[in-house]
């Protein structure tokens, strides 16, 4: 870390207010021989400059095709600009300088969304309202207006996080005659085991944040949630193009588009980069660069979490997914063993347990989680948050409040759940507060907008 005078600045003295500007600097990508990529950034301001280099390694195809390399490189330039959010948050930078990177109009709109809407939760939790109006500055250029490469729609690339959603997408596509390829950023034991059960090939990207950022996080830098799905989506698109595969098929549901709360008159959505607004922005940006936007869509966009849980329940236990599935984010931290799939004490675990309980026997759900969360009274307050009976919906990838209410109410009529302590207590509070309850069947029948092509929707319906 150096100042403009090249004088080292002790990490312990990092002052976020001294670096209000993030500058996109160097870019390197060798997609012909090594797959190594380097994104350079600098935080700048009265305090001087603090430089970062993020390093990635992309999987390479057996044969390098120049047109595909050019197209993938173009997508990586955009990924470079988007991935800067990891470093901008350190100082809550309000000016994002794209440097010498010219962008199309649609790419600029996406970037403004990433650095404003995508950082709303970060701004809220750190009380930094200025971030809501961050400015992205750079040169714009006309859309290239042409298609770089052909693609194979029968070989979609499916990002896999190890949870029920991506499993549903993989199974729907695989069983319908498609030949999906799984995609993971920084795979671990859990994600690899899910991909192995899906019997699909894996293409993985290694992404390494500059370790200096981790030092700054311990010495005064701001920290918090970033729209990481936007980063991973662009990396997936680059890999798909490079390998001549079909579209990147996400597994984001309708619930992801619902905000958690309103702050300074703006919606704050933990899942913004998984919502439909971000999906549309990414599609438009990619279309402006590659000539077509249908390289990216969510197969499950029109379904809510409970509907997806029901689809997962329909996958036979003989598939082996019950032994490897996890949606718990704590399972992916460096402080927990990768073999611990569910912590059974976080909003994500609570919600997924509730969602699966509506469509599966208690014995199967309890076996998947390694315990019964609905018979653990210590989880009651957490479940109240999920139902909107206390505070606001947690900042996690969970369903909408009305989904949780309907799910809890439906369990009161299920012999294997109706005497569970959490179910009894929740339904008593629902009745006491007069909380509206929609029939579970109506919630399961909900369908939101979708950008998925009909052939892919037909594959999902067959599942």
């Amino acid at each position: 870390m150096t100042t403009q005078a090249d004088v080292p600045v002790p990490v312990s003295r990092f002052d976020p207010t001294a670096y209000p500007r993030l500058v996109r600097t160097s870019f390197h990508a060798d997609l012909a021989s090594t797959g190594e990529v380097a994104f350079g950034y600098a935080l700048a301001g009265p305090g001087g400059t603090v430089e970062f280099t993020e390093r990635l390694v992309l999987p390479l195809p057996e044969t390098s095709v120049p047109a595909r390399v050019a197209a993938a490189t173009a997508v990586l330039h955009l990924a470079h600009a988007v991935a800067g959010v990891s470093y901008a948050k350190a100082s809550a930078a309000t000016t994002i300088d794209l440097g010498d990177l010219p962008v199309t109009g649609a790419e600029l709109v996406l970037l403004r969304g990433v650095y404003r809407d995508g950082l709303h939760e970060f701004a809220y939790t750190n009380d930094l309202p200025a971030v809501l109006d961050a400015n992205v500055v750079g040169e714009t250029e006309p859309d290239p207006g042409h298609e770089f490469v052909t693609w194979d729609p029968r070989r979609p690339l499916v990002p896999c996080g190890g949870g029920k959603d991506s499993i549903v997408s993989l199974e729907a596509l695989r069983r319908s005659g498609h030949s999906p390829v799984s995609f993971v950023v920084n795979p671990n034991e859990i994600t690899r085991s899910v991909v192995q059960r899906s019997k699909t090939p894996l293409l993985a990207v290694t992404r390494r944040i500059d370790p200096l950022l981790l030092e700054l996080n311990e010495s005064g830098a701001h920290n918090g949630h970033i729209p990481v799905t936007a980063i991973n989506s662009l990396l997936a698109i680059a890999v798909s193009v490079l390998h001549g595969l079909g579209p990147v098929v996400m597994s984001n549901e309708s619930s992801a588009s619902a905000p958690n709360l309103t702050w300074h008159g703006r919606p704050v959505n933990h899942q913004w980069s998984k919502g439909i607004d971000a999906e549309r922005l990414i599609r438009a940006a990619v279309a402006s660069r590659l000539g077509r936007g249908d390289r990216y869509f969510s197969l499950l966009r029109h379904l809510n979490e409970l509907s997806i849980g029901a689809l997962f329940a329909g996958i036979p236990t003989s598939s082996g997914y019950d032994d490897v599935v996890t949606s718990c984010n704590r399972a992916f931290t460096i402080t927990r063993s990768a073999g611990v799939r569910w912590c059974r004490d976080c909003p994500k675990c609570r919600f997924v347990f509730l969602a699966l309980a509506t469509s599966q026997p208690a014995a199967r759900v309890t076996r998947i989680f390694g315990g019964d969360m609905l018979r653990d009274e210590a989880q009651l307050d957490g479940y109240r948050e999920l139902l909107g009976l206390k505070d606001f919906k947690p900042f996690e990838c969970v369903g909408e409040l009305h989904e949780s209410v309907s799910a809890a109410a439906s369990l009161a009529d299920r012999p294997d759940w109706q005497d569970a302590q959490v179910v009894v207590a929740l339904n008593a509070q629902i009745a006491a507060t007069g909380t509206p309850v929609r029939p579970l069947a109506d919630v399961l029948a909900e369908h939101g907008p979708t950008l998925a092509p009909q052939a892919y929707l037909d594959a999902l319906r067959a599942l």
Side-chain angles (χ1 to χ4, degrees), residues 28-52:
H28 168 78
D30 179 359
L31 302 185
S33 58
T34 66
E36 295 178 353
V37 178
F39 294 161
Y41 307 96
L43 288 174
T49 60
V50 182
E51 298 181 350
F52 306 93

Side-chain angles (χ1 to χ4, degrees), residues 128-460:
L128 297 166
V131 173
L132 303 181
D133 297 306
N135 190 27
V136 181
V137 297
E139 297 294 326
T140 58
E141 64 178 357
D143 297 3
H146 64 275
E147 166 72 7
F148 277 93
V149 291
T150 57
W151 63 334
D152 184 354
R154 303 298 296 180
R155 297 185 66 210
L157 187 65
V158 182
C160 178
K164 67 183 187 328
D165 301 352
S166 52
I167 289 174
V168 166
S169 292
L170 284 169
E171 283 300 296
L173 294 171
R174 191 176 65 83
R175 297 182 186 200
S176 65
H178 290 79
S179 299
V181 177
S182 292
F183 173 81
V184 179
V185 176
N186 294 338
N188 63 14
E189 177 185 336
I190 290 175
T191 49
R192 289 186 185 278
S193 64
V194 171
V195 172
Q196 183 178 21
R197 295 296 168 92
S198 73
K199 299 180 177 63
T200 60
L202 170 65
L203 291 177
V205 167
T206 299
R207 180 185 179 218
R208 292 291 178 261
I209 297 288
D210 191 316
L212 175 57
L213 181 63
L214 304 181
E215 293 183 42
L216 296 183
N217 288 342
E218 300 298 324
S219 59
H222 296 300
N223 203 356
H225 178 74
I226 64 166
V228 68
T229 299
I231 301 171
N232 292 345
S233 294
L234 291 170
L235 296 179
I237 293 170
V239 168
S240 174
V241 171
L242 186 63
H243 286 257
L245 300 176
V248 171
V249 179
M250 304 297 287
S251 304
N252 301 325
E253 71 290 341
S254 62
S255 312
S257 302
N260 298 72
L261 54 87
T262 299
W263 184 60
H264 284 272
R266 315 279 185 88
V268 179
N269 182 5
H270 173 79
Q271 301 188 80
W272 178 83
S273 62
K274 295 174 66 176
I276 193 167
D277 289 344
E279 182 177 334
R280 289 188 171 117
L281 292 179
I282 292 172
R283 284 167 61 93
V286 172
S288 73
R289 185 61 61 180
L290 302 186
R292 60 188 304 163
D294 55 355
R295 284 190 178 276
Y296 179 82
F297 59 84
S298 173
L299 181 62
L300 310 181
R301 173 65 63 203
H302 59 301
L303 302 177
N304 56 36
E305 288 275 19
L306 297 187
S307 297
I308 298 169
L311 288 174
F312 178 82
I315 298 175
T317 56
S318 59
S319 66
Y321 285 119
D322 287 9
D323 299 327
V324 295
V325 63
T326 184
S327 295
C328 176
N329 291 333
R330 295 184 184 179
F332 296 92
T333 67
I334 61 175
T335 59
R336 291 180 67 89
S337 165
V340 180
R341 296 185 299 120
W342 304 95
C343 75
R344 299 201 305 274
D345 192 27
C346 72
K348 194 69 177 290
C349 282
R350 294 183 193 105
F351 179 79
V352 176
F353 193 103
L354 181 64
L356 295 184
T358 64
S359 53
Q360 302 180 61
R364 182 182 180 187
V365 183
T366 302
R367 185 172 62 252
I368 290 173
F369 280 78
D372 191 340
M373 297 186 67
L374 295 178
R375 297 183 188 278
D376 179 2
E377 293 187 26
Q379 303 303 320
L380 184 54
D381 272 354
Y383 273 108
R384 286 177 175 138
E385 290 183 354
L386 289 176
L387 274 63
L389 301 174
K390 176 186 178 183
D391 300 326
F392 54 83
K393 187 175 76 170
F395 283 135
E396 255 291 5
C397 298
V398 297
E400 296 186 59
L401 298 178
H402 77 273
E403 291 182 69
S404 295
V405 171
S406 294
S410 72
L411 297 184
D413 298 323
R414 290 272 302 275
D416 49 350
W417 294 113
Q418 61 187 6
D419 64 340
Q421 293 92 319
V422 172
V423 173
V424 172
L426 289 178
N427 279 282
Q429 190 167 356
I430 289 172
T433 58
T435 301
V437 179
R438 296 176 55 187
L440 182 62
D442 291 351
V443 175
L444 291 172
E446 286 182 343
H447 286 83
T450 180
L451 303 176
Q454 190 60 49
Y456 289 88
L457 292 175
D458 289 343
L460 183 62

